[in-house]
Amino acid sequence: MPTPRPPLPALSFRSAPPAPSVRTVRSARTVLAVALCALLAGAPAVDAAPGAGPPAVAGAAAAVDAGAAAAVGSGADDGIETARTGRQVAAGVRLESYDRLEADRWLRIDELVVDLGGTSDVRAEYLGGHGAATVAEAAARHPAGPGRRVVAAVNGDFFDIRGTGAPLGPGMRDGRLLHAATPGAGRAVGFGAAGAGRVLRIGLTGRVTLPGGAVRPLTGYNTVRPAAGGIAAYTADWAGAEIPVQVGAATAEVRDGRTTSAAPLRGPARPPRPAPGTTLLVAAGPAAAELAALRPGDPVAVDARPAPDAGPAPLTAVGGREPLVVAGVPQNHDGAPNDTSAPRTAVGFAGDGHRLRILTVDGRQRDSGGLTLSALGRLMHRNGARDALNLDGGGSTTLLAAISGAPAPVLENAPSDGALRPVANGLVLTAPAGPGRPAGVRVEALGGAVHVFPGLARTLTATAYDTALGPAPGAPRWSATAGRIGPDGVFRAPGDGPARAAGARDATAGAGRRGGVTASARVGTAQGALRLDVLGPLTRLRPVPERVGLAEAGESARFVLAGRDDQGAAAPVEPRDVDLRFDRSRWRVADDGRGGFTVTALVPRATGRLRATVRATGAATELALGVGLVTLPLADLSDAAAWTGRDTAPAEGHPGPGLGLDLRAAGGAAVTATPPRPLPVPESTRALTLWARGDGSGARPAVELTDADGTALTLRGPAADWTGWRELTLPLPVTAQQPLTVTRLSAAGGGRPGRLLLDTLGARTPATGPAVPDAAGPDPLVATAAEVRARPWRFAVDPAGGPAAGADLVVTGAERLPFRYRGVRFVPLDTARRTLDGGGLERLRTLRRALAEAAREPATGALAVVRRHAEGTVDRKEEALTARYLAEFRRTTGKGAAVITIGAPRFAAGRSEGVLGLTTARGTRPLVGADAFPPPGRDWLAVHPPGRPGQGVS
């Protein structure tokens, strides 16, 4: 019976943006023909003599280790950049987006590099200030002024998130003070009349002149928490919803220098924002009596001015908190309360302040773990900042940037909340608007998919832009170098795929041909083009995801159809090429306009299947559907005696056996219970359920989980202030990266030590039924024993080593250094350490050096990564990046590439993007035939799995 193929690696390195925002997708596909040769390389590979066993490589260890040390560098932030894209946003504004792998985290960074003032006339301005709004909403409302447009925006100051929503630091617009800082929060980034920026402190200098000439200090101006002992003033610029007023305070309204009303407050009060032209004075303590004594018509003068720590007051200022770089020195915040790994927003200045850097780092996600303040300061310093300030981060971190021809900036980062958070203010960049006449055309494929199968469609869009990269009207005229393209921009690939250029080396196997087509759009005299890659014929079709589960009628979800050719190259298949068959009384399925489908449940409870067939090829697949939540048991705790943990023991359940967590014996410390084996959670799960018997102690139960990459997630229940049994529902956050596994149950102490009893852990999930098995047959990599013997030479794969009949070489996966044998460079990668425990950094550095060497070696015709199977060691992002590097190496050099994984639970063979994948089973010694320079149409490897003579294996 055929065994399943290895999992196909992900093709995207960035998670999807919150709809309906658009975001640039970074690609790790760079032109490695140039880039690989620029990478630091270790010592040359060691050649093995024909007929010998594994070469003796220990003697070269010192040279290679020295090269590796040189590549690693020094310091605590010596990660590697794994992807980078960039684009011009406007004259004087460029966006750089890049991904990094550090020893303990992935990072995703977006950075705006801005030349302020000068000929570009880019200005940094205060954004928002009219109540909480997302950065996108505030940017859409921002008055850029005549002849100008908004080109970028970022979130700004920390704010009173659980109270008024107003910013905590200072703020200025057009030289006018909008709000003064809460005491201790006076740092800001400011921008002067000439455009130059700086990091500074802005205090408040002000006074209130009462009738008779008495002068009192102004201790707050639109300030969240003003200093005590004086009078605070609030105007229409107050950014909060209501004004905080202490019990026992007095207020007075002043308009045109005259009191309009005044009164003491007898109880809690939250006055609304004053009307334009009105100032509300608030005082507590001794000053309250003076305000309460005012009468309508009494003269009152209020004077409030910014007080910078040095130099003139800026025209624009937005508050921040921690200094990151001061006079060229990164600041150390180790041990500070806010110095945890988190999403971050920072602003920095180089030189004289005319070079501005606005940087965001995504965090609290699998693809980006965030940075500490100290690490953020080091990053800003490395990027050229002489002074830098930390702005609000976490779920507030948001960066928008214009894309040529678009009417509004688009979202670039991935907010950790899964959606844009309303914030108090921000910074917005404006630039001169262009003439509105087409000067260029941006051509894009639907969903960013530039691969297409022969005979199938790819929808293209054309957006004209002017000389300032702003919008320009005009309908495009389309053309293509091959295939057909209609006036609507729908490209139809040539039926058999374009042939390669004469003389070009083709390292692919199979009958399918691949090549490029250029689609062009012209608007007036302006034009743009996009290269599309026509793959080999479609051989395999699968839905992504393979199951769609919906909670209730009316709920919707998205899926796409992903196809592959005979080399494993992937591309989405658009709805226009597909016929669907499903129960239309239960489901509605529609083209989602992004290259996929939206399925909506029409009934509250049902299961079913959707069949999709590609009209041009007949390729078909099925998608499992379900609506209506059911509770599936994960653990009934009948095995409570097998759970381990201090102060845990079997106890009365609901009904039957349960598990007791005794916080009394633990002295109030948290108590944890580990199951005898991890508990997998169904992938469509919306929430976990847990029965808990409270004792009124306030103890909080929790379920602890990990995702597929080992990242921890804790679902905390309510404080058990009740008595008796209660079923708790613990929703999974929308940002949870499934699949998930339950690793522990736990309880934390409440108001007094107590004892929690727990029973039956369940998963609330839609019942969809199983996914449809992949019907793909054996991969051509699997061959008969005779076909393997017919290759120029052979090697055996055996972790135990030792001689092997018929093998010229034995590969064990324990080799320390890369070596070359008869045209094949073998690259062993140590899988002893997890990706985010330094292992990923070490492996990817080793691979990049080896690829650089192999790319420029005429005697090398193929490269094979060799590694031992280690469950959970290599995370999915490292796996995808490894596959991407190898696919690009193969594409740009024409040389073969493969990944050999040794000692897995079962045998598998397949390919992705032309990279061969061979996984050997424990206790077996398969024989592999090799030809580093195969004739066209033949794989460079062939494997005969042991114990299965003449039988193909997929």
Side-chain angles (χ1 to χ4, degrees):
M1 178 178 181
T3 55
R5 293 173 184 257
L8 298 170
L11 297 179
S12 174
F13 285 83
R14 308 202 71 180
S15 54
S21 301
V22 179
R23 173 167 171 245
T24 301
V25 177
R26 285 181 208 159
S27 172
R29 302 190 63 163
T30 54
V31 185
L32 293 192
V34 176
L36 284 174
C37 295
L39 293 170
L40 291 171
V46 181
D47 280 310
V57 294
V64 175
D65 288 346
V72 169
S74 61
D77 300 287
D78 290 319
I80 58 175
E81 189 173 291
T82 60
R84 177 179 285 265
T85 61
R87 73 170 186 265
Q88 201 69 26
V89 173
V93 183
R94 182 168 179 80
L95 173 70
E96 294 290 335
S97 298
Y98 47 99
D99 295 351
R100 291 182 59 84
L101 172 60
E102 306 293 340
D104 61 348
R105 75 196 65 204
W106 296 97
L107 290 175
R108 190 170 44 203
I109 301 167
D110 294 283
E111 183 178 25
L112 289 167
V113 183
V114 185
D115 292 324
L116 295 169
T119 57
S120 64
D121 194 20
V122 177
R123 302 173 191 167
E125 301 172 6
Y126 186 98
L127 177 66
H130 304 290
T134 68
V135 174
E137 291 167 343
R141 296 196 295 256
H142 183 76
R148 301 186 66 81
R149 67 187 185 100
V150 170
V151 297
V154 69
N155 68 289
D157 198 2
F158 293 82
F159 60 100
D160 187 19
I161 191 170
R162 293 180 178 85
T164 63
L168 298 177
M172 296 184 65
R173 178 190 285 131
D174 298 329
R176 184 169 59 86
L177 182 67
L178 299 178
H179 48 87
T182 292
R187 289 190 181 90
V189 289
F191 302 86
R198 70 188 198 268
V199 176
L200 73 163
R201 280 185 176 274
I202 302 177
L204 172 66
T205 179
R207 60 184 185 177
V208 178
T209 305
L210 300 172
V215 176
R216 299 291 178 260
L218 187 65
T219 56
Y221 186 77
N222 291 324
T223 303
V224 173
R225 289 183 286 274
I231 299 174
Y234 295 87
T235 71
D237 291 325
W238 166 247
E242 297 173 324
I243 297 172
V245 177
Q246 300 177 18
V247 175
T251 64
E253 284 192 357
V254 178
R255 187 175 183 88
D256 297 328
R258 296 286 176 176
T259 304
T260 58
S261 67
L265 298 176
R266 304 300 181 188
R270 293 279 178 173
R273 180 186 300 118
T278 297
T279 299
L280 178 69
L281 300 178
V282 178
E290 293 182 292
L291 288 189
L294 293 174
R295 296 291 179 266
D298 285 349
V300 176
V302 180
D303 178 33
R305 287 171 291 151
D309 55 358
L315 290 181
T316 295
V318 169
R321 186 179 289 172
E322 296 88 355
L324 301 173
V325 184
V326 178
V329 179
Q331 301 298 290
N332 184 356
H333 293 276
D334 292 353
N338 194 29
D339 195 42
T340 58
S341 294
R344 298 290 181 184
T345 302
V347 173
F349 303 96
D352 62 358
H354 284 94
R355 171 61 61 91
L356 164 68
R357 291 184 179 272
I358 299 174
L359 182 142
T360 61
V361 182
D362 289 340
R364 300 172 185 162
Q365 303 169 48
R366 173 187 291 162
D367 286 348
S368 190
L371 283 178
T372 64
L373 289 173
S374 299
L376 181 63
R378 293 191 294 268
L379 175 61
M380 292 296 290
H381 180 254
R382 284 201 307 271
N383 287 0
R386 185 178 184 276
D387 295 282
L389 185 67
N390 180 52
L391 304 188
D392 189 16
S396 299
T397 291
T398 308
L399 181 71
L400 309 178
I403 187 167
S404 54
V410 299
L411 179 67
E412 294 296 335
N413 74 309
S416 63
D417 289 351
L420 296 184
R421 172 188 287 180
V423 296
N425 62 11
L427 274 174
V428 61
L429 301 180
T430 68
R437 294 186 298 274
V441 180
R442 172 169 51 87
V443 180
E444 292 181 308
L446 187 67
V450 295
H451 290 179
V452 61
F453 294 103
L456 300 190
R458 184 63 69 235
T459 302
L460 308 179
T461 60
T463 306
Y465 54 88
D466 63 18
T467 53
L469 304 182
R477 302 189 306 277
W478 291 97
S479 62
T481 56
R484 308 188 312 275
I485 190 166
D488 56 356
V490 177
F491 169 75
R492 184 71 59 177
D496 58 353
R500 290 182 180 271
R505 182 178 174 191
D506 188 351
T508 65
R513 293 182 293 171
R514 296 180 59 174
V517 172
T518 299
S520 301
R522 183 182 293 271
V523 178
T525 59
Q527 61 181 339
L530 178 69
R531 178 185 167 85
L532 298 168
D533 188 10
V534 181
L535 306 180
L538 174 65
T539 61
R540 183 180 175 197
L541 185 70
R542 297 293 291 169
V544 181
E546 295 182 332
R547 296 184 295 173
V548 169
L550 304 172
E552 59 189 0
E555 186 174 280
S556 299
R558 184 174 189 259
F559 71 93
V560 298
L561 294 175
R564 290 188 180 265
D565 67 8
D566 63 352
Q567 287 299 304
V573 176
E574 291 191 17
R576 67 177 71 247
D577 285 324
V578 177
D579 287 329
L580 301 179
R581 191 171 71 228
F582 58 94
D583 187 340
R584 297 177 186 273
S585 68
R586 297 181 172 187
W587 319 98
R588 180 172 63 249
V589 182
D591 183 339
D592 70 357
R594 295 183 289 153
F597 302 83
T598 299
V599 55
T600 304
L602 302 179
V603 295
R605 188 171 297 275
T607 59
R609 292 194 182 277
L610 175 150
R611 183 171 179 82
T613 304
V614 179
R615 286 188 294 273
T617 68
T621 189
E622 290 189 357
L623 172 72
L625 300 172
V627 59
L629 296 179
V630 297
T631 301
L632 301 179
L634 300 182
D636 62 6
L637 295 182
S638 60
D639 60 350
W643 287 60
T644 57
R646 186 176 178 180
D647 303 316
T648 65
E652 172 194 351
H654 181 72
L659 184 67
L661 279 64
D662 196 341
L663 290 106
R664 300 170 302 184
V671 176
T672 61
T674 302
R677 67 195 61 82
L679 306 172
V681 178
E683 287 204 28
S684 299
T685 295
R686 304 299 182 87
L688 298 185
T689 60
L690 179 67
W691 281 93
R693 193 179 82 175
D695 60 358
S697 66
R700 295 188 65 182
V703 180
E704 300 180 22
L705 310 96
T706 59
D707 65 18
D709 296 330
T711 303
L713 169 68
T714 300
L715 304 182
R716 303 187 190 280
D721 53 4
W722 68 89
T723 58
W725 286 100
R726 179 177 296 183
E727 187 179 34
L728 308 179
T729 299
L730 310 176
L732 286 172
V734 294
T735 54
Q737 301 284 341
Q738 299 193 32
L740 300 168
T741 302
V742 175
T743 56
R744 296 195 302 188
L745 299 179
S746 62
R752 60 179 174 82
R755 182 170 181 256
L756 274 182
L757 301 186
L758 305 178
D759 198 359
T760 309
L761 176 68
R764 293 285 289 165
T765 181
T768 62
V772 179
D774 189 352
D779 190 273
L781 177 60
V782 178
T784 65
E787 290 170 329
V788 170
R789 287 194 298 269
R791 293 300 176 104
W793 64 279
R794 289 149 299 285
F795 64 91
V797 181
D798 186 354
D808 302 275
L809 182 71
V810 177
V811 176
T812 68
E815 297 85 1
R816 286 191 58 223
L817 300 170
F819 63 93
R820 187 173 55 241
Y821 185 85
R822 297 185 67 170
V824 177
R825 174 179 274 260
F826 289 90
V827 184
L829 297 181
D830 184 358
T831 54
R833 288 192 294 165
R834 297 173 68 94
T835 297
L836 299 184
D837 189 25
L841 198 56
E842 178 184 349
R843 288 187 289 271
L844 289 176
R845 280 182 173 142
T846 298
L847 177 60
R848 284 164 42 140
R849 287 195 296 263
L851 290 172
E853 282 288 322
R856 59 175 173 251
E857 289 173 341
T860 297
L863 179 145
V865 167
V866 181
R867 62 191 185 184
R868 290 195 172 185
H869 174 78
E871 192 70 36
T873 296
V874 179
D875 74 15
R876 284 180 285 182
K877 191 162 183 176
E878 181 189 347
E879 194 78 64
L881 191 59
T882 299
R884 187 72 67 110
Y885 282 163
L886 291 170
E888 200 66 14
F889 165 81
R890 175 182 173 276
R891 187 185 70 82
T892 58
T893 66
K895 300 181 179 186
V899 176
I900 301 173
T901 304
I902 302 174
R906 56 186 175 179
F907 176 90
R911 67 194 67 214
S912 176
E913 299 290 330
V915 178
L916 306 180
L918 170 61
T919 299
T920 70
R922 299 188 190 108
T924 65
R925 177 182 274 198
L927 191 65
V928 183
D931 184 354
F933 300 94
R938 191 169 77 173
D939 287 324
W940 72 276
L941 289 181
V943 60
H944 178 63
R948 306 174 70 92
Q951 185 175 2
V953 183
S954 67

